[in-house]
Amino acid sequence: MNMLVIDQSSTEKKIIKKILKGDHESFEVIIESYKKLVYHIVFRMIYNDADREDICQDVFIKVYQNLSTFQFRSKFSTWISRIAYNTCLNHLAKRSPQLMDDIIKSETNWDDLLKSDISPLKIVEKRDLKYRLEKEIAKLPVRYRTLLSLYHLDGLTYQEIGDVMDLPEGTIKSYLFRARKYLKSLLQENYQLEEIS
Amino acid sequence: MNKHLSEQHIQEYLDNNINHSKKQTIEEHLSECSSCRDEIKHYKKLYAILETDIEQRLSTEFNVNVLNRLKNIPIKKPKTWIYYLLGLFGFFVILGTSLYFSDLKPFVYVSEQFKILINAYIFPYVELFQNLSSSKSLNYLFLSFIIIFIIGTIDRLFFSSEGFSKSNKILLII
């Protein structure tokens, strides 16, 4: 199947019109373009691995159902992020206290180890650093984790994150500052500068 | 700048969220202060880790599974007709109430003014239209063109995006 990557709002408009006219197969373009964004939010907010795929599916079902209500007043990515964020919040509210299993799994990519010029030991050390930091991120409140992901992984602006999380821009800046300050202090406490540079 | 950089300044610097002069001042300080350079290194490492992509663990059948679920799910239609209906209802309620409680003289005055306006501006065009041709069939054809154009416009504006093109097609067939 030919996959298109949406990069312009005009293309999005055309695809949305096609879907609204009944061509539901065109929705695959939307799934393919925004799967990563939705997964980032779900990954940061939900720690039960078994639930993640179902929640991602639910997000896209909600996007499809409510497609006719999207008025192009905001970016489509912001709208989808908001749906993903609210879906995760609803899920967490239902499953309180949230399940904390499968917090982190090994992310070793053996192809990288073979291709890279850096020694395998160094890669393991770096992986370990990321692994340990991920564990610390997991301990942060859900809002902090989400905005770290939206800002650093998905490149959303403060205003867009504010729209997604329904918070003022100033609060977003403040949360982001506090989260990074905390994580940096952990990094500083546990690792020597030679290790991390 | 003798003092060390605050963490807020460091984060703003790395986010590129500061003006040019402030950026220059920070860079000048960094060239002289090893402690702040170390601080920046820690932050840069943190940023690099935060920007490392998360390994996606969605199944390869994810897209197909979503599309299969969509087959049984209808798209919610926006209930705009309810708002039109409510608006129309509200309009008639306000109009009826106003007429019931008010003196009708101003309306009569407005109506008279309206007639004068029509006589002054519309009738010359009607006469011009009538004088265009002595043939009545041409007049009817022109009139039908206007009616279809109005229907097409209403269809386009209120019912569907396809309406306008459909009406134009009908017009072409005629």
Side-chain angles (χ1 to χ4, degrees):
Chain A
M1 204 170 284
N2 185 25
M3 291 298 168
L4 295 167
V5 175
I6 299 171
D7 54 359
Q8 284 178 347
S9 63
S10 60
T11 322
E12 281 172 356
K13 275 186 187 175
K14 279 179 196 168
I15 290 161
I16 291 168
K17 271 187 181 177
K18 271 175 87 177
I19 298 162
L20 290 174
K21 278 179 195 168
D23 179 11
H24 87 272
E25 291 290 326
S26 295
F27 192 69
E28 189 167 10
V29 183
I30 304 258
I31 300 173
E32 202 52 40
S33 303
Y34 293 104
K35 195 158 67 173
K36 208 170 181 179
L37 172 69
V38 169
Y39 188 76
H40 286 162
I41 297 168
V42 174
F43 179 89
R44 282 273 183 254
M45 293 181 75
I46 309 291
Y47 281 129
N48 183 10
D49 217 14
D51 287 340
R52 280 177 180 157
E53 176 137 351
D54 288 342
I55 293 167
C56 285
Q57 279 193 26
D58 290 345
V59 170
F60 282 108
I61 299 294
K62 281 181 187 171
V63 168
Y64 177 80
Q65 278 184 305
N66 295 291
L67 209 54
S68 62
T69 62
F70 179 62
Q71 301 291 313
F72 295 95
R73 283 181 197 143
S74 63
K75 276 165 82 178
F76 195 52
S77 57
T78 313
W79 187 68
I80 290 184
S81 303
R82 199 179 162 87
I83 292 176
Y85 179 70
N86 288 329
T87 308
C88 291
L89 281 186
N90 289 340
H91 177 85
L92 292 174
K94 278 181 205 165
R95 289 198 163 202
S96 189
Q98 58 173 296
L99 298 168
M100 292 297 285
D101 57 338
D102 295 322
I103 288 178
I104 305 291
K105 282 187 179 175
S106 171
E107 292 186 352
T108 309
N109 186 342
W110 297 105
D111 287 342
D112 283 354
L113 284 176
L114 294 170
K115 282 178 201 167
S116 175
D117 294 331
I118 310 164
S119 72
L121 186 68
K122 197 93 179 168
I123 289 172
V124 171
E125 278 171 5
K126 281 196 171 185
R127 287 280 183 199
D128 183 50
L129 184 63
K130 182 170 162 42
Y131 172 83
R132 290 178 71 171
L133 203 78
E134 281 287 356
K135 268 184 146 179
E136 295 301 334
I137 293 171
K139 289 176 192 168
L140 292 172
V142 71
R143 277 179 174 171
Y144 287 70
R145 302 196 305 255
T146 313
L147 70 91
L148 278 173
S149 166
L150 289 174
Y151 186 83
H152 286 284
L153 276 178
D154 303 306
L156 268 70
T157 62
Y158 298 127
Q159 199 194 331
E160 285 166 350
I161 299 171
D163 289 341
V164 171
M165 300 175 73
D166 211 10
L167 288 170
E169 215 178 300
T171 312
I172 297 295
K173 280 182 191 173
S174 160
Y175 281 4
L176 197 59
F177 170 73
R178 274 190 252 166
R180 290 190 299 210
K181 189 180 174 181
Y182 168 74
L183 291 172
K184 194 267 313 175
S185 66
L186 286 173
L187 207 66
Q188 229 165 356
E189 277 170 27
N190 298 318
Y191 296 91
Q192 297 298 310
L193 190 58
E194 301 79 55
E195 274 185 279
I196 61 172
S197 54
Chain B
M1 193 185 279
N2 295 325
K3 277 189 203 170
H4 289 305
L5 294 172
S6 70
E7 296 206 41
Q8 190 160 356
H9 280 134
I10 290 174
Q11 288 197 22
E12 280 172 356
Y13 171 72
L14 291 173
D15 286 337
N16 211 7
N17 203 14
I18 45 165
N19 60 39
H20 184 68
S21 65
K22 212 170 174 181
K23 194 178 175 181
Q24 261 189 329
T25 318
I26 289 174
E27 280 169 357
E28 275 168 24
H29 177 80
L30 285 173
S31 64
E32 294 161 3
C33 179
S34 62
S35 167
C36 285
R37 275 203 302 273
D38 285 351
E39 194 78 349
I40 287 262
K41 272 185 185 175
H42 281 110
Y43 264 114
K44 276 188 176 171
K45 183 65 201 173
L46 174 68
Y47 275 46
I49 293 171
L50 290 173
E51 279 155 20
T52 309
D53 206 356
I54 297 164
E55 187 194 337
Q56 214 181 86
R57 295 197 205 105
L58 291 175
S59 67
T60 46
E61 297 87 31
F62 180 80
N63 294 8
V64 180
N65 290 341
V66 175
L67 290 174
N68 283 338
R69 280 180 69 185
L70 292 185
K71 282 175 188 167
N72 307 316
I73 294 166
I75 296 178
K76 286 178 190 168
K77 301 275 179 206
K79 292 175 181 175
T80 46
W81 61 272
I82 290 178
Y83 300 113
Y84 284 122
L85 208 68
L86 280 172
L88 207 65
F89 179 72
F91 172 74
F92 281 115
V93 167
I94 292 165
L95 191 72
T97 319
S98 314
L99 286 174
Y100 184 79
F101 288 106
S102 64
D103 182 10
L104 287 174
K105 274 181 187 169
F107 291 101
V108 174
Y109 174 74
V110 169
S111 158
E112 288 300 323
Q113 292 298 313
F114 189 65
K115 271 181 194 169
I116 293 164
L117 269 174
I118 286 179
N119 284 333
Y121 295 103
I122 310 293
F123 280 157
Y125 291 104
V126 173
E127 277 176 21
L128 187 76
F129 168 66
Q130 281 170 346
N131 294 335
L132 268 177
S133 166
S134 56
S135 165
K136 274 194 172 179
S137 57
L138 200 66
N139 281 348
Y140 285 129
L141 190 69
F142 190 61
L143 200 65
S144 57
F145 172 81
I146 291 170
I147 291 166
I148 290 170
F149 182 76
I150 291 166
I151 292 169
T153 311
I154 293 168
D155 191 29
R156 161 86 173 160
L157 289 174
F158 297 105
F159 299 104
S160 75
S161 56
E162 291 288 295
F164 194 66
S165 56
K166 275 180 196 166
S167 306
N168 279 344
K169 275 177 198 166
I170 294 163
L171 199 70
L172 281 171
I173 292 162
I174 291 168

